[in-house]
Amino acid sequence: MKKDKKMMVLFLSPALLIFAIVFIYPVIRTVLMSFFEVTRPSTAISEWVFTGLGNYLNIFSKNTFRRSMSNLLMIWFVGGIATMILSLTFAVILTSGVRFKSFFRAVIYLPNVVSAVALAAMWMYYVFSERYGLLHNIFGALGLTSLSKIKWLGTDMKLWSMIIAFVFGAVGYYMLIWISGIEKIPQDLFEASKIDGAGRIRQFRYITLPLLKGTLKMNLTFWSVNAVAFFVWSKMFSPVDSENSTIVPMIYMYELVFGSKTVTTTDAGAGAAVGCVLALCVLVIFFLINRLLKEDDLEF
């Protein structure tokens, strides 16, 4: 028995060591850095100057950070509702016995295979373009002149355009998770309810939805993590300089740590504080999801 334990330790030690170096140490260093004045991430610890909560007070006093957090809230809330509803709708349809479901499943999931950069470029130049974009041409052909003149990439609409494009690319991923949850529900329940006279809508309301509580928790958790890590789409919709209409905390943190045209003096300590705030947001959301969506005996 002791020999087995030694062998387990021997085999696990390299993996645990790598995990500690690659994950645990950077997390601890980032949390500590958020309480110090640090110019660059590579600055020696001996040169750090303790400021306490100074970095946190500093970032919350900046209009740019507050705007980035409000943009992130819009992406998470509005985009989350749209993504969950659309993905669940597709999942229910594709598990209801529709023909060619494998084909439709592949088509809906296809945007996840395409690079986010290419997908964002497609939406910007071929869908939202004011001159020859798809929406411009469709509304113009239908005689909806006012809608055809909407500047989708203008300052007022750019955030909404970005959310629409992001949701389009995310629906297929969450649809597959919904499908996996629906396929785990015993078919006996649907057959029994059908015998009792329950239609599709009543089956969905009283059987499918209650038994997808665990799947909903998983989707909301994944969506929260992906929304907080929102970076590429914001960069693509504002490629030159960050704009208040599209800036998100990850972009703001990147500019604080590595600098930009508008941020000439780097501040790794403030950047670390932004990262800690985002991590705290994810933890709070995860806690609320687990408290509000408690699994019960109906889960399979």
Side-chain angles (χ1 to χ4, degrees), residues 24 26 34 58 66 95 100 120 130 132 163 170 187 190 244 246 268 271 276 278:
I24 297 179
S34 66
N58 180 34
R66 294 199 298 268
T95 54
F100 308 113
E130 184 181 356
Y132 48 81
I163 292 175
Q187 292 299 312
F190 295 104
N244 284 338
T246 59
C276 291
L278 292 178

Side-chain angles (χ1 to χ4, degrees), residues 24-71:
I24 297 179
Y25 171 71
V27 169
I28 296 175
R29 183 183 175 90
T30 300
V31 173
L32 292 177
M33 189 184 297
S34 66
F35 297 102
F36 289 81
E37 181 181 339
V38 186
T39 306
R40 298 180 179 179
S42 58
T43 303
I45 297 179
S46 59
E47 300 178 15
W48 293 6
V49 179
F50 182 73
T51 58
L53 297 176
N55 288 324
Y56 292 91
L57 297 176
N58 180 34
I59 60 175
F60 277 103
S61 67
K62 302 294 184 181
N63 291 328
T64 305
F65 176 72
R66 294 199 298 268
R67 180 59 186 272
S68 70
M69 290 296 291
S70 66
N71 289 344

